[in-house]
Amino acid sequence: MDDFSDRTAVVTGSAGGIGLAIASALVDAGATVVLADLQGAAAERAAAELSSRGPGRAIGVRCDVTSESDIAAVTTAATDNGGLDFWVNNAGFTRDKTMRNMSLDDFRAVIDVHLVGGWLGTRAAAEIMCEQRRGAIVNISSIAAKVGNPGQTNYAAAKAGLIGLTKAAAKELGRYDVRVNAVQPGLIGTAMIEALKPEVLQAKLQDIPLERVGTPSEVADTVLFLLSERAAYLTGAVIQISGGRHM
Ligand SMILES: NC(=O)c1ccc[n+]([C@@H]2O[C@H](COP(=O)([O-])OP(=O)(O)OC[C@H]3O[C@@H](n4cnc5c(N)ncnc54)[C@H](O)[C@@H]3O)[C@@H](O)[C@H]2O)c1
């Protein structure tokens, strides 16, 4: 297992689901982790639970990733607690509707949380990481970015945008030894997929060579690899975690 005992990380959207699994794996590896989530009380509860287990520790902070000042406060929470080595842009939600039913607000809200939030996080992390000439950022995209899904014009656009952001930022920050990579999960067992209709879930399962939904901790394993020195020569990479779906 990686030893991150002298490392500090920010994981957005980490009160539950994939973000919590990433935060939990980082705490297992000894890191100090800031759990930044819109659900502040849930983030604080999760952080207290992770800290009591150790060996790393966690701090829960209420944060709306679309707010520049909230992102600045999260950055300060990290630097006040040791520094800023890793940043994971994970926060998000879906608002699936066909275009016929999707309002401009539905479109903008999803672009805002995934893409604008991802850009604000990447920019804030880069400012500190470039100065210290060390750091790694991981953006949580989706295979929806690659293949599109009906009812997800907002989500697919946001997640595809995140890939462009990842590659452009990787090119800008490489000279400072700051790496920026992305993962594209497929169907992962979290609250987000509970919103799927049973027949839609069944159809998706038939499309997965490994014939099952993935777990949040399987996504966390890949994210930790990308953050670690084992991935020292990886930047601008996009790793699909989909059980082979849409390979
Ligand atoms: N579950 C999947 O199958 C799947 C597949 C591909 C990609 N993803 C992506 O993985 C990430 C995590 O998804 P999940 O399934 O764990 O979802 P989840 O709903 O379990 O967790 C998302 C978290 O983000 C938080 N959040 C929402 N808006 C926020 C905001 N404005 N600021 C801060 N926090 C906010 C929520 O409070 C929640 O805790 C998302 O970016 C999602 O698009 C998920």
Side-chain angles (χ1 to χ4, degrees), residues 20-71:
L20 180 57
I22 295 167
S24 172
L26 283 164
V27 167
D28 284 344
T32 298
V33 186
V34 179
L35 276 67
D37 201 290
L38 201 52
Q39 301 179 62
E44 282 174 24
R45 271 197 308 276
E49 213 173 297
L50 292 180
S51 291
S52 69
R53 199 194 63 205
R57 65 195 180 96
I59 302 117
V61 176
R62 191 206 167 270
C63 162
D64 179 348
V65 294
T66 67
S67 154
E68 205 170 355
S69 56
D70 281 9
I71 290 288

Side-chain angles (χ1 to χ4, degrees), residues 104-115:
L104 180 56
D105 182 55
D106 293 328
F107 185 80
R108 283 205 171 124
V110 170
I111 295 287
D112 244 20
V113 69
H114 295 278
L115 187 54

Side-chain angles (χ1 to χ4, degrees), residues 18 63 71 78 86 150 153 155 173 191:
I18 293 171
C63 162
I71 290 288
F86 307 141
T153 49
Y155 185 73
L173 307 181

Side-chain angles (χ1 to χ4, degrees), residues 12-19 36-39 63-66 90-93 113-114 140-143 155 159 185-193:
T12 69
S14 43
I18 293 171
D37 201 290
L38 201 52
Q39 301 179 62
C63 162
D64 179 348
V65 294
T66 67
N90 166 82
F93 54 80
V113 69
H114 295 278
I140 311 298
S141 175
S142 163
I143 51 169
Y155 185 73
K159 290 304 202 185
L187 208 54
I188 308 298
T190 69
M192 196 169 269
I193 68 159

